[in-house]
Amino acid sequence: MEGVPTHQGLLDALPIAACVTDAEGRLTYCNHAAAELLGYQPKPGSQSWHDRCTLFWPDGRRMDFDESPFAMKPGKDASAFGDAILAERPDGTRKALTVSTTPTDHDGSTGYIHLLTDVTDRRDAEIASARLAAIVSSSDDAIVSKRLDGTVTSWNDGAARIFGYQPEEMIGRSIRKIIPPELQAEEDDILARLCRGERIGHFDTVRLAKDGQRVHLSLTISPVLDGSGNVIGASKIARDITERKRSEELQHLLFNELNHRVKNTLAMIQAIASQSLRTASKPAQFVDSFNGRVNALARAHDLLVQHEMKGAGIHDLVRDQVSLGAANERRVTYSGPGLLLESRTAVHLALVLHELATNARKYGALSIPEGALSITWKVDVRHGRVLHLHWRESGVANLQAPRKRGFGTTLIDRSLEANRGEVHLDFGADGIVCDIELPLPEEERYSFTEAAIGANNENLVRKGAGSARHGKRILIVEDEPLIAMELESTLASHGFEVVGPASHVESAIRLIGQERLDAALLDANLGGKPVTDVAEALAEKGVPFAFGTGFGREALPAGFRHVEIVPKPFETDRLIDTVDRILTSGDQPATVVPLKPKRKS
């Protein structure tokens, strides 16, 4: 054939793909190996032979034919094609090629021979290797390789972060450097299993970081094989599970602590019941004293939960135990540095404050309109850290000390004694004065703040309330039968007329629509369902209500989180005061979210 070089026979016999172009880039010859590589048999004599095989630069950009090595002309530099180019065959598959171009004469004036080498597998392997290297480098896990004698051969950034050693500090050294002494035998077992070709799945172990800290790891170890299938080393992937282990230990500790606290609390309640019963002269007195002390524990527990069981703030403790959360009791004031008392101390001090406050409300300064109570405290650091709390009642004339020592006084003494504290109680001419000294841990910090409680005395609020309650209809919405029964009897005993109780949303809404209501006490959750519909129905009808719940405000329906809360377990005084207050104020809790449109009948 004209234009075909005389060495065509030689090129046909070669297993290497080859083609020949003339000085104008027209194909003059293509051997069978080249046709197989390109995916079709080009026709000699035309520059259009390349149209069915699109070319691309290594980075994926399309390559014009004039830019390709097949368009070589005299004087053109063939060195630009040292890297592989991509050829897309008619069937859509791509091959990576290197092209070696040689002129058929001394200057290429008659044409060029192009030898094509398929490097697709090599290029894919290089890409896969680069991709793997990027994954290894960027992984948060430690990825390490070693020889069978334990010598480290690679150490990624994840390993450097977890163990603190940089690659140059570990590569070429033994992996045993990070293995604790008591676990060296573990490494011997690992190497023995690797030599047998075993892959070692996830197992938890411990390694040593550069700073001496022990790091909990989840390890996966795989053998590394040479081309003949012989084991020549191992690769390790180590995930830092230190935080997970700490969480598991903390969870276990918390469960044990919870078990202890629950049993301890039950034992305290059992003791309170027994001691309250022994000192009560009649059943009603026992119920009042027992409920009061249990509620004191509940309020203290709420404060502990707010601080993740680490302790309770003394300001909150005084407010909750002395004022029962009233917002404006002007006759009770307190001030002192802000302190976070550890949980055991906080519970004991809560009981002490409750006993003092109960006595003040029954017999002391808060039992008469003229009385007042001042509570101050400070921290003395001269001989360790000691809390000094001064309780002073005033306005109580002719106060006399009790003839016999009651349970409340004994509880105060024993609670402080258990914390290495002391109490001095004086029944003065103007009222009770109580001085408490309580040692504090050295590590606690505090800052000075002041606060005051203010509200009219509960006796003043209740003055004349009995007659005002007659005929007032209170809806009870509560799904716990025992609690509903207790609420019903408590409200009825104070002169209210009870509607319900309603134990689910549907019955509550039905009663709201059918009955005349003056106020309502609404559980924040009924059988696991929110009470938004009930709250909206009450608000729409203009019925004031309060939530009775053991949860905080975040658990209330959105739009009603400003509504007053009576915390569970209920304390009679606070429950009745709240109902009196919402009846007297007449404020209806308007929702801040749109009410649902009524359904058309």
Side-chain angles (χ1 to χ4, degrees):
M1 180 185 294
E2 183 180 356
V4 177
T6 57
H7 44 266
Q8 172 180 337
L10 177 62
L11 294 179
D12 272 336
L14 287 177
I16 300 174
C19 60
V20 181
T21 56
D22 63 16
E24 301 301 323
R26 290 186 294 267
L27 183 70
T28 60
Y29 168 75
C30 181
N31 72 355
H32 296 298
E36 184 176 349
L37 181 60
L38 296 175
Y40 78 109
Q41 180 66 58
K43 293 181 179 180
S46 172
Q47 285 184 330
S48 63
W49 65 272
H50 59 85
D51 289 345
R52 296 186 64 193
C53 184
T54 308
L55 302 178
F56 297 89
W57 292 97
D59 62 5
R61 291 178 294 116
R62 184 162 181 161
M63 176 185 290
D64 291 338
F65 181 75
D66 290 340
E67 301 174 305
S68 74
F70 303 109
M72 290 298 298
K73 294 180 180 181
K76 187 173 181 179
D77 184 11
S79 64
F81 306 101
D83 294 332
I85 64 173
L86 301 177
E88 186 175 279
R89 308 195 305 178
D91 62 2
T93 59
R94 289 190 179 188
K95 290 288 186 178
L97 311 174
T98 56
V99 182
S100 176
T101 299
T102 304
T104 55
D105 53 14
H106 70 283
D107 60 0
S109 59
T110 60
Y112 296 85
I113 297 176
H114 310 280
L115 299 180
L116 315 180
T117 303
D118 184 356
V119 294
T120 304
D121 292 343
R122 187 187 75 189
R123 183 174 182 273
D124 289 346
E126 289 174 350
I127 293 174
S129 177
R131 185 180 294 116
L132 179 60
I135 293 172
V136 170
S137 176
S138 62
S139 175
D140 288 334
D141 294 336
I143 302 178
V144 178
S145 60
K146 63 179 181 181
R147 293 197 289 266
L148 288 179
D149 62 358
T151 303
V152 176
T153 55
S154 69
W155 188 268
N156 75 333
D157 291 343
R161 179 184 59 79
I162 291 173
F163 299 109
Y165 292 104
Q166 295 304 310
E168 60 270 18
E169 296 178 276
M170 287 302 298
I171 294 177
R173 293 173 173 79
S174 175
I175 194 69
R176 294 180 184 271
K177 184 175 182 179
I178 63 170
I179 300 177
E182 72 276 10
L183 294 179
Q184 291 291 326
E186 180 182 271
E187 180 67 7
D188 296 332
D189 178 65
I190 289 173
L191 292 175
R193 293 174 63 184
L194 287 171
C195 288
R196 296 195 296 267
E198 293 183 30
R199 179 182 182 274
I200 302 171
H202 291 288
F203 74 97
D204 293 352
T205 188
V206 176
R207 295 294 182 259
L208 292 175
K210 186 176 182 179
D211 61 3
Q213 295 291 322
R214 290 182 171 241
V215 183
H216 291 272
L217 300 174
S218 176
L219 278 181
T220 301
I221 307 175
S222 299
V224 175
L225 310 178
D226 63 11
S228 301
N230 300 313
V231 179
I232 59 173
S235 66
K236 292 186 176 183
I237 299 178
R239 173 157 296 178
D240 186 352
I241 59 171
T242 303
E243 288 303 318
R244 192 192 79 189
K245 285 291 185 181
R246 287 175 181 168
S247 297
E248 290 174 354
E249 291 172 2
L250 178 60
Q251 186 180 51
H252 181 70
L253 178 65
L254 287 176
F255 279 135
N256 286 338
E257 179 67 15
L258 177 63
N259 186 40
H260 165 73
R261 287 181 183 273
V262 168
K263 290 183 177 180
N264 198 53
T265 301
L266 290 174
M268 290 179 67
I269 293 174
Q270 183 183 45
I272 288 173
S274 178
Q275 294 296 324
S276 298
L277 182 60
R278 289 178 185 177
T279 57
S281 59
K282 51 186 178 180
Q285 184 183 6
F286 162 73
V287 172
D288 286 344
S289 61
F290 175 74
N291 285 345
R293 286 160 183 154
V294 170
N295 276 281
L297 281 177
R299 290 193 296 272
H301 188 268
D302 283 343
L303 295 179
L304 294 179
V305 170
Q306 291 175 19
H307 292 281
E308 299 178 344
M309 303 306 290
K310 297 176 182 177
I314 190 170
H315 281 110
D316 297 332
L317 209 61
V318 172
R319 182 197 63 230
D320 284 3
Q321 299 299 336
V322 178
S323 71
L324 300 180
N328 53 358
E329 185 161 352
R330 303 180 184 278
R331 299 187 303 130
V332 181
T333 60
Y334 66 86
S335 64
L339 290 170
L340 184 66
L341 301 174
E342 63 91 19
S343 56
R344 183 172 180 270
T345 303
V347 170
H348 289 167
L349 185 57
L351 291 174
V352 170
L353 293 172
H354 169 75
E355 294 300 327
L356 290 171
T358 299
N359 187 76
R361 292 179 183 278
K362 289 183 176 180
Y363 315 111
L366 300 184
S367 67
I368 57 174
E370 300 81 12
L373 170 61
S374 170
I375 308 167
T376 59
W377 63 89
K378 63 181 180 180
V379 176
D380 188 348
V381 295
R382 291 175 296 177
H383 305 289
R385 296 181 63 246
V386 180
L387 171 66
H388 291 271
L389 187 143
H390 182 67
W391 174 289
R392 185 178 186 84
E393 299 180 29
S394 59
V396 185
N398 303 319
L399 181 66
Q400 295 182 355
R403 296 179 181 179
K404 63 178 182 178
R405 187 179 182 84
F407 171 58
T409 305
T410 304
L411 179 60
I412 292 173
D413 287 341
R414 297 290 177 84
S415 296
L416 292 170
E417 182 182 336
N419 292 277
R420 301 180 183 276
E422 296 181 4
V423 59
H424 303 281
L425 193 62
D426 180 28
F427 291 84
D430 196 36
I432 290 178
V433 176
C434 181
D435 287 297
I436 293 173
E437 294 182 5
L438 190 62
L440 299 174
E442 290 296 328
E443 65 271 15
E444 283 188 310
R445 298 179 179 272
Y446 63 94
S447 58
F448 185 80
T449 55
E450 290 189 351
I453 308 171
N456 295 325
N457 186 316
E458 61 179 274
N459 293 310
L460 298 182
V461 172
R462 292 184 185 181
K463 188 176 182 180
S467 59
R469 296 170 188 154
H470 181 70
K472 295 296 184 182
R473 295 168 59 82
I474 313 299
L475 172 65
I476 296 176
V477 183
E478 170 63 57
D479 62 351
E480 180 56 52
L482 287 174
I483 296 177
M485 290 169 61
E486 181 64 19
L487 285 173
E488 186 174 6
S489 61
T490 300
L491 291 174
S493 68
H494 284 77
F496 296 108
E497 183 178 338
V498 174
V499 178
S503 59
H504 48 80
V505 171
E506 293 77 13
S507 61
I509 293 178
R510 184 174 64 252
L511 289 173
I512 293 169
Q514 295 175 351
E515 300 288 340
R516 177 184 65 82
L517 303 173
D518 296 294
L521 189 63
L522 174 60
D523 192 357
N525 187 286
L526 295 176
K529 297 180 180 179
V531 293
T532 306
D533 290 346
V534 181
E536 289 179 351
L538 288 167
E540 187 175 15
K541 197 174 180 181
V543 177
F545 65 92
F547 285 105
T549 179
F551 294 103
R553 293 195 176 276
E554 68 280 358
L556 299 182
F560 294 97
R561 290 173 184 163
H562 61 289
V563 176
E564 189 161 359
I565 291 177
V566 185
K568 290 181 179 178
F570 296 116
E571 188 162 4
T572 300
D573 288 347
R574 185 165 185 176
L575 171 65
I576 300 303
D577 283 348
T578 301
V579 176
D580 282 341
R581 190 158 46 250
I582 62 176
L583 283 171
T584 303
S585 65
D587 293 336
Q588 87 180 58
T591 177
V592 296
V593 294
L595 294 174
K596 293 180 180 179
K598 294 182 178 179
R599 295 180 180 178
K600 294 182 179 180
S601 56

